[in-house]
Amino acid sequence: MRILLVEDETSIANFIKEGLEEEGFAVDVAHDGKTGLQMAIDYLTEYDVILLDWMLPGLNGIEICRSVRKESPTIPIIFLTAKDTIDDAVFGLEAGANDYIRKPFAFEELLARIRVLMRNKQGDGSIFKCGDIELNVESHRVTKKGINIDLTRKEFSLLEFLLRNKGKVSRRTRIIEKVWDIHFDYDNSVIDVYINFLRKKLDEPGTESFIETIRGVGYRVNEEL
Ligand code: CA
């Protein structure tokens, strides 16, 4: 599961990022409002939750929240705010946030709120289907024709990434960045190895693979499936 964190205070951003990564989340951080909005809009389908600071350089959290809501009515947004009057909290929720948490907060409280939103989201944003293959982000399970398929953590992340981008070409550079969390030019042939693992475990024998190779560019799971 991937979280976008928009927070300009480096120490708070690091504290949240490290904590969430220990819990198995992947976390992208933006340190100003404009970058945060750009990342949210560009990669909206890749995020499960957005954590949004209120006071940010560039654009503030409220403005970001409104813009993101226009693009996606469902993505969970939690405000991180030092403001502590009831009015401010209501203002945040009216802008389209699902929840807010006041700084300073205990990490466990943030984690609990994220989990509640993930649970509420189940049934729409956390299940991805492709033909008879079903991936459930919340329970971390993949089934084919209703039968459980054992995937390693990396195989699961790769499949999740491809299914979230169903119908679009997933470029190799994006895959290595998002699934392997590697942000420099790296030998990305490891992707092909894992695509093969997925094909072996999930393809129907004797038919074309559900993962299409776009030579030199990346991979795609077709929309019709
Ligand atoms: Ca701030």
Side-chain angles (χ1 to χ4, degrees):
M1 281 182 265
R2 185 164 285 269
I3 291 181
L4 173 63
L5 168 63
V6 189
E7 167 62 78
D8 59 320
E9 261 171 82
T10 316
S11 58
I12 298 179
N14 290 344
F15 159 75
I16 296 174
K17 182 178 162 74
E18 281 165 22
L20 288 173
E21 282 175 349
E22 269 172 36
E23 295 294 325
F25 293 93
V27 182
D28 291 344
V29 183
H31 294 284
D32 68 84
K34 282 191 178 150
T35 311
L37 179 61
Q38 197 63 50
M39 285 166 78
I41 301 291
D42 286 353
Y43 309 120
L44 198 54
T45 53
E46 290 171 26
Y47 293 120
D48 298 282
V49 175
I50 298 178
L51 303 178
L52 208 48
D53 185 26
W54 187 298
M55 305 296 281
L56 289 161
L59 285 171
N60 69 38
I62 292 284
E63 293 168 294
I64 298 172
C65 187
R66 289 213 177 95
S67 303
V68 170
R69 268 293 164 262
K70 281 187 202 148
E71 303 289 321
S72 165
T74 53
I75 185 158
I77 299 174
I78 302 177
F79 263 116
L80 312 173
T81 174
K83 291 172 173 266
D84 58 359
T85 68
I86 297 292
D87 282 356
D88 284 334
V90 170
F91 193 51
L93 296 176
E94 276 176 355
N98 301 74
D99 201 358
Y100 63 94
I101 187 165
R102 287 187 184 122
K103 294 179 193 169
F105 51 81
F107 179 75
E108 280 63 35
E109 192 187 349
L110 177 65
L111 189 61
R113 283 167 192 250
I114 290 172
R115 293 215 160 116
V116 166
L117 287 180
M118 298 301 312
R119 262 202 301 280
N120 294 345
K121 199 169 158 250
Q122 185 162 25
D124 44 270
S126 68
I127 294 175
F128 296 90
K129 289 181 183 171
C130 167
D132 50 19
I133 298 163
E134 193 174 296
L135 178 144
N136 187 319
V137 177
E138 178 82 6
S139 63
H140 219 265
R141 268 165 53 107
V142 172
T143 58
K144 183 176 166 69
K145 295 177 180 157
I147 296 161
N148 221 21
I149 305 288
D150 256 342
L151 295 187
T152 64
R153 211 180 163 100
K154 225 22 124 186
E155 290 166 351
F156 186 94
S157 302
L158 177 58
L159 182 63
E160 182 186 341
F161 185 83
L162 293 171
L163 293 183
R164 279 177 186 269
N165 291 287
K166 202 172 162 186
K168 292 188 278 185
V169 178
S170 296
R171 295 181 166 272
R172 303 180 67 89
T173 46
R174 292 284 300 155
I175 296 175
I176 204 79
E177 197 182 310
K178 293 296 166 184
V179 179
W180 273 267
D181 262 328
I182 295 169
H183 290 266
F184 51 90
D185 199 11
Y186 177 80
D187 170 22
N188 57 30
S189 55
V190 65
I191 298 170
D192 308 302
V193 175
Y194 277 82
I195 290 283
N196 274 334
F197 289 157
L198 285 179
R199 284 173 169 162
K200 278 203 185 111
K201 289 184 178 180
L202 293 164
D203 274 348
E204 206 59 56
T207 62
E208 228 171 281
S209 176
F210 77 108
I211 305 170
E212 186 188 353
T213 304
I214 314 292
R215 205 159 293 281
V217 182
Y219 291 96
R220 174 170 60 202
V221 171
N222 280 315
E223 189 89 81
E224 309 86 71
L225 288 172

